[in-house]
């Protein structure tokens, strides 16, 4: 389990910085997006759930079992029925869940937006799902094309959703802080000069002539 202080520190790291360090394979696809704006950046350990198409039982079970600060990550892919609505999001929020990240849909968006509960999902549909299929919680899932294990650090903001493997949390956090310090101390002129040199170097390697 990643230490809470490390998880908390990821809230200060933009998703773009993490994407630079982790690469495409840890970034969820563009369909997993914030459903209201402006959404705060969230970071927390993944509490993973798998729901078959048309069924949302295990997400509803998860809101009563996830530890405060968790990001509930749902594998579903269902585009016909909602995984959750306003009441479920309200319960999750009251219990300290940081956010939902769902490969699927929700409903009652106005209520969710008003309460300020962060939801990253594929969209909204008014049709509720059923509740009949029980399955284990906190098993590996795929969400937005990314494998997520329970305890991985999920960081999400208006740019998208990134997962940091728990085993790499300290390494990535250290590298991210170093990158942010470098960016903060670099002047626009220095950045432009370095960028020009890099681009011209790549062009030169390919025989490009102005």
């Amino acid at each position: 389990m990643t230490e809470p202080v490390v998880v908390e520190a990821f809230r200060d790291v933009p998703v773009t910085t993490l994407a630079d360090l982790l690469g495409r394979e840890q970034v969820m696809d563009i369909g997993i997006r914030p459903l209201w704006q402006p959404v705060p950046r969230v970071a927390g350990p993944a509490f993973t759930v798998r729901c078959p198409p048309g069924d949302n039982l295990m997400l509803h079970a998860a809101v009563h079992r996830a530890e405060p600060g968790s990001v509930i990550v749902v594998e579903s892919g269902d585009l016909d029925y909602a995984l959750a609505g306003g009441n479920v999001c309200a319960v999750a929020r009251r219990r300290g869940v940081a956010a939902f990240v769902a490969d699927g849909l929700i409903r009652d968006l106005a209520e969710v937006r008003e309460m300020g509960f962060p939801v990253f999902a594929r969209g909204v549909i008014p049709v509720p799902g059923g509740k009949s299929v029980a399955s284990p919680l906190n098993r590996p899932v795929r969400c937005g094309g990314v494998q997520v294990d329970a305890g991985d650090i999920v960081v999400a903001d208006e740019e998208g959703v990134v997962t940091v493997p728990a085993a790499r949390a300290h390494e990535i956090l250290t590298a991210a802080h170093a990158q942010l310090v470098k960016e903060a101390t670099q002047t626009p002129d220095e950045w432009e000069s370095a960028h020009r040199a890099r681009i011209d170097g790549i062009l030169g390697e390919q025989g490009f002539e102005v």
Side-chain angles (χ1 to χ4, degrees):
M1 178 69 70
T2 305
E3 299 94 323
V5 66
V6 174
V7 177
E8 178 69 26
F10 274 102
R11 291 194 180 94
D12 295 326
V13 182
V15 162
T16 49
T17 300
L18 295 173
D20 289 345
L21 295 169
L22 288 162
R24 179 67 185 86
E25 62 273 14
Q26 296 303 127
V27 181
M28 293 188 188
D29 70 54
I30 63 170
I32 312 297
R33 61 189 186 278
L35 295 188
W36 54 267
Q37 296 280 9
V39 68
R41 183 178 301 123
V42 298
F47 189 97
T48 57
V49 180
R50 184 178 290 115
C51 293
D55 198 277
N56 59 31
L57 175 64
M58 294 318 298
L59 171 55
H60 290 231
V63 300
H64 300 288
R65 291 162 174 78
E67 293 292 327
S70 299
V71 175
I72 295 181
V73 179
V74 188
E75 175 182 325
S76 171
D78 184 9
L79 298 180
D80 292 313
Y81 297 93
L83 288 163
N87 287 338
V88 172
C89 290
V91 171
R93 181 174 177 271
R94 288 182 57 176
R95 293 185 56 80
V97 172
F100 286 168
V101 173
D103 200 330
L105 311 173
I106 71 158
R107 67 181 198 160
D108 302 325
L109 180 58
E111 295 177 27
V112 176
R113 180 173 56 238
E114 184 175 355
M115 74 179 72
F117 182 68
V119 176
F120 299 79
R122 293 204 180 272
V124 179
I125 196 168
V127 186
K131 296 170 181 62
S132 60
V133 182
S135 60
L137 295 167
N138 274 330
R139 300 291 176 86
V141 300
R142 288 194 70 81
C143 184
V146 176
Q147 178 170 313
V148 185
D149 295 328
D152 287 350
I153 309 304
V154 180
V155 186
D157 62 21
E158 64 184 2
E159 300 281 352
V161 184
V162 171
T163 63
V164 182
R168 299 187 64 193
H170 288 85
E171 167 207 340
I172 296 299
L173 184 62
T174 298
H177 282 165
Q179 181 65 26
L180 292 172
V181 168
K182 176 182 176 181
E183 292 173 357
T185 57
Q186 190 175 45
T187 69
D189 286 346
E190 289 171 339
W191 190 93
E192 180 180 354
S193 177
H195 181 258
R196 175 73 182 266
R198 177 170 175 258
I199 297 304
D200 286 351
I202 295 171
L203 292 173
E205 289 171 0
Q206 298 187 32
F208 179 86
E209 295 182 5
V210 178

